[in-house]
Amino acid sequence: MRLSKMLFVTLREDPTEAEIPSHKLLLRAGYIRRIGSGIYAYLPLMWRVLQKVSQIVREEMNATGAQECLLPQIQPAELWRESGRWDTYTKAEGIMFSLKDRQDRELGLGPTHEEVITTVARETIRSYRQLPVHLYQIQTKFRDEIRPRFGLMRGREFIMKDGYSFHTDTESLKKTYDDMHQAYSNMLRRSGLAFRAVQADSGAIGGSGSQEFMVLAEAGEDEVLYTEDGQYAANVEKAVSLPPTAETSPFTTYEKRETPGTETIEKVCKLLDCSPTTLVKNVLYQAVYDNGMTVLVLVSIRGDRDVNEVKLQNHLTNLASQYSAKNVLALTVPDTEAQKKWAAKSLPLGYIAPDIGDDYIKSDRTIHPKFLRLVDETAASLQNFVTGANEANYHVVGANWDRQFPKPSQAIDLQKARSGDFSTHNSTQILQSARGIEVGHIFQLGTKYSQALGATYTSEQGEELPLVMGCYGVGVSRLAQSAVEQSYDKDGIIWSVAIAPYHVIICIPNISDTQQVETAEKLYTDLNAAGIETLLDDRNERAGVKFKDADLIGIPYRIVTGRSLKENKVEVVDRKSRQSQEIPIDEVVATLSQWIKAALTA
């Protein structure tokens, strides 16, 4: 491609709306253009990158025996109501664009396709002889993000590969799940990315187990906790840990003490001269279920730990049937206005004890009349602890479970693991932290969707059984930007050969120099004929402008038809290493072919 003929506009300054390096560089280098909040046009260079990423994904999927298809972007609300996710996606998380057609039928723009693919399976799969089967698509998806940001990382429209497998049993599912783990690892390695596969929360997709594939980058939205021995890695939302041992409580006798103005852990510990590890704090949450029922949740946890709200929401979702519901629509720490709706009297905030009375809750048919009391494992093991006294400006010290407070019937893991904690698989291993960008996620769904939508098969014994499912997603557009986030310098993008829009860019320093132009034209023709994707910068611009643009757009190799032509050579610059060497003109094609082949097979 000749740069003079390409839609190619670069910017010298960082766009004001861009926050992270990759977003700034993709805009500056003319790869994308913002159309609206979280909506971007993929310009010619970007589209070539996306096609290459898609092809790598497609090749790895096809190698496992998966079959490509294409599913509708517009999905009927009835399917999502069958699965029980319509309210979750349109009201709770609110990430689905929903609309009504002229017949007043409700529709959604698909952020994911479990309901659609399960419907296809319900209507086409009859026998165990058809299983296993694995279908995938590369498709534009939609999410109504509250705050779109970081360019293609968190947009409202994005390109994704999502695949769905159907099986007779869990053993078959796990084989495909393992195949996908390997395929995803291959995709990321071939794209030139440093990554880590981690245990993850399944979120609204559901299922029994899942893994995320994280591209390691400082700008990553996710925190990954891992051990140096390589035996454990998890998203912080899912991570489990052993916190440092609690200090011995200085209090041996139970008593109530006046503690004025100590609404925070820091203040009460300073006043009482004790460690936060000897304190039980009681955090109040308000959960709203999909049937309109509000449940007040009190979480008792050690004073130095934070509640992992993802774990809490998952636990509350598991309890939904106790409240005649299916899903949690909202989970919040209630502010003053929210408290007015259900509080029968003023709460002793900052001084709440594990046994705060249910009489603080108004009598209302939409509000559960009792607190749901949950005790985290870190709090359940404490002795002679400090906690609130259910009275403003007072705490109790030397308290114990089964004496002053009811003994928890069950202690559950609700704490947020963090760097510095000990690993549960080996207490000598200390958790470390890294930032990551989630580009892939694989799930063992089980029968969640097949049971909800009635997708069954007839077994070899003649039984009608629900299909066992798996789900596997890769963010194609997100992967492309994460590659930039992981590989750039002060001058611009550094693409790997595998996903770069072009392998080589030829710069003609002086467009008026006949020898420079003729040499560049011949190399351009020969390189393309040899299968080396080449860009020719034949613009009537200064050499400095061309060199800066070549660095900015990140093409792996730059050929300069400049001074070295006197010796029948051209300068070849490696974008990543910055190394420059002069190569005889008649050796350029063979040399670059060798370099590119080596890069693609590394």
Side-chain angles (χ1 to χ4, degrees), residues 283-285 287 289 294-300 312 315-317 319-320 322-323 354 356 358 361 368-375 412 414:
V283 187
L284 183 62
Y285 286 92
Y289 283 94
T294 295
V295 177
L296 286 313
V297 184
L298 190 68
V299 179
S300 298
L312 177 58
H315 184 72
L316 295 175
T317 300
L319 299 178
Q322 296 183 17
Y323 304 104
I356 186 169
D358 293 329
I361 302 175
H368 196 268
K370 293 185 177 182
F371 285 105
L372 173 61
R373 303 170 198 275
L374 303 175
V375 180
I412 54 179
L414 294 174

Side-chain angles (χ1 to χ4, degrees), residues 75-134:
Q75 305 182 21
E78 306 91 78
L79 297 183
W80 287 73
R81 288 200 170 94
E82 279 189 70
S83 70
R85 293 203 302 173
W86 180 256
D87 285 346
T88 302
Y89 270 74
T90 60
K91 295 178 183 178
E93 295 186 21
I95 61 171
M96 181 187 277
F97 287 100
S98 56
L99 62 146
K100 289 185 178 181
D101 66 13
R102 63 186 67 196
Q103 275 78 42
D104 209 35
R105 292 173 296 210
E106 288 184 290
L107 304 163
L109 288 178
T112 185
H113 279 72
E114 283 80 10
E115 283 78 4
V116 169
I117 198 72
T118 306
T119 300
V120 171
R122 177 175 67 190
E123 296 175 0
T124 58
I125 296 174
R126 295 284 178 265
S127 168
Y128 71 94
R129 293 187 181 89
Q130 296 172 268
L131 300 171
V133 65
H134 187 172

Side-chain angles (χ1 to χ4, degrees), residues 153-173:
M153 295 288 196
R154 190 161 291 282
R156 304 170 83 192
E157 179 180 310
F158 53 97
I159 299 173
M160 183 175 175
K161 187 287 297 182
D162 53 323
Y164 307 89
S165 62
F166 298 90
H167 309 266
T168 57
D169 54 35
T170 302
E171 184 179 349
S172 174
L173 166 61

Side-chain angles (χ1 to χ4, degrees), residues 352-399:
I352 292 176
D355 64 349
I356 186 169
D358 293 329
D359 58 347
Y360 277 92
I361 302 175
K362 284 181 182 177
S363 177
D364 187 307
R365 64 182 182 83
T366 64
I367 303 168
H368 196 268
K370 293 185 177 182
F371 285 105
L372 173 61
R373 303 170 198 275
L374 303 175
V375 180
D376 179 68
E377 293 169 348
T378 58
S381 59
L382 291 184
Q383 297 178 334
N384 296 319
F385 55 81
V386 177
T387 194
N390 287 330
E391 183 180 345
N393 299 313
Y394 285 89
H395 282 81
V396 295
V397 302

Side-chain angles (χ1 to χ4, degrees), residues 85 114 117-118 163-165 173 177 202 204-209 442-450 467-472:
R85 293 203 302 173
E114 283 80 10
I117 198 72
T118 306
Y164 307 89
S165 62
L173 166 61
Y177 185 84
S202 297
I205 301 292
S208 60
I442 60 178
F443 303 83
Q444 295 180 48
L445 296 178
T447 58
K448 174 180 176 177
Y449 296 95
S450 56
L467 292 162
V468 179
M469 292 177 59
C471 169
Y472 321 94

Side-chain angles (χ1 to χ4, degrees), residues 57-69 132-138 161-167 175-176 179-180 183-184 187 470 472:
V57 170
R58 184 174 282 115
E59 288 171 5
E60 292 298 334
M61 291 300 295
N62 291 348
T64 69
Q67 304 169 61
E68 188 170 6
C69 62
V133 65
H134 187 172
L135 301 172
Y136 78 94
Q137 63 171 344
I138 298 175
K161 187 287 297 182
D162 53 323
Y164 307 89
S165 62
F166 298 90
H167 309 266
K175 183 184 183 305
T176 297
D179 288 345
M180 286 300 100
Y184 277 38
M187 292 172 196
Y472 321 94

Side-chain angles (χ1 to χ4, degrees), residues 275-494:
S275 166
T277 65
T278 65
L279 187 144
V280 172
K281 65 180 176 183
N282 304 286
V283 187
L284 183 62
Y285 286 92
Q286 174 178 307
V288 179
Y289 283 94
D290 54 6
N291 60 356
M293 176 65 71
T294 295
V295 177
L296 286 313
V297 184
L298 190 68
V299 179
S300 298
I301 191 169
R302 204 170 83 180
D304 64 322
R305 310 303 294 183
D306 294 321
V307 177
N308 183 325
E309 294 183 358
V310 173
K311 291 182 181 177
L312 177 58
Q313 176 139 351
N314 289 340
H315 184 72
L316 295 175
T317 300
N318 290 336
L319 299 178
S321 60
Q322 296 183 17
Y323 304 104
S324 301
K326 292 182 179 179
N327 294 302
V328 177
L329 291 185
L331 178 65
T332 57
V333 174
D335 57 19
T336 304
E337 283 303 308
Q339 291 170 31
K340 289 178 181 177
K341 296 177 181 178
W342 55 260
K345 52 186 175 179
S346 180
L347 290 156
L349 299 176
Y351 303 91
I352 292 176
D355 64 349
I356 186 169
D358 293 329
D359 58 347
Y360 277 92
I361 302 175
K362 284 181 182 177
S363 177
D364 187 307
R365 64 182 182 83
T366 64
I367 303 168
H368 196 268
K370 293 185 177 182
F371 285 105
L372 173 61
R373 303 170 198 275
L374 303 175
V375 180
D376 179 68
E377 293 169 348
T378 58
S381 59
L382 291 184
Q383 297 178 334
N384 296 319
F385 55 81
V386 177
T387 194
N390 287 330
E391 183 180 345
N393 299 313
Y394 285 89
H395 282 81
V396 295
V397 302
N400 286 278
W401 302 107
D402 211 21
R403 294 184 196 170
Q404 289 78 28
F405 298 102
K407 183 179 181 179
S409 59
Q410 179 187 14
I412 54 179
D413 175 28
L414 294 174
Q415 61 125 0
K416 181 182 285 186
R418 60 191 182 210
S419 179
D421 288 354
F422 300 102
S423 173
T424 57
H425 82 275
N426 182 344
S427 59
T428 66
Q429 289 287 314
I430 297 174
L431 294 183
Q432 299 187 43
S433 176
R435 305 302 301 181
I437 301 165
E438 180 197 342
V439 297
H441 204 154
I442 60 178
F443 303 83
Q444 295 180 48
L445 296 178
T447 58
K448 174 180 176 177
Y449 296 95
S450 56
Q451 285 186 322
L453 281 84
T456 62
Y457 73 98
T458 302
S459 73
E460 193 171 1
Q461 290 73 37
E463 294 179 277
E464 189 173 339
L465 299 172
L467 292 162
V468 179
M469 292 177 59
C471 169
Y472 321 94
V474 169
V476 171
S477 47
R478 177 178 274 207
L479 189 155
Q481 184 173 330
S482 69
V484 179
E485 193 61 46
Q486 195 175 80
S487 188
Y488 67 91
D489 61 17
K490 63 182 178 60
D491 295 315
I493 298 167
I494 304 173

Side-chain angles (χ1 to χ4, degrees), residues 530-546:
I532 298 172
E533 299 166 4
T534 304
L535 194 59
L536 176 62
D537 190 350
D538 57 344
R539 297 175 298 167
N540 187 16
E541 292 281 2
R542 292 179 290 108
V545 171
K546 294 183 177 184

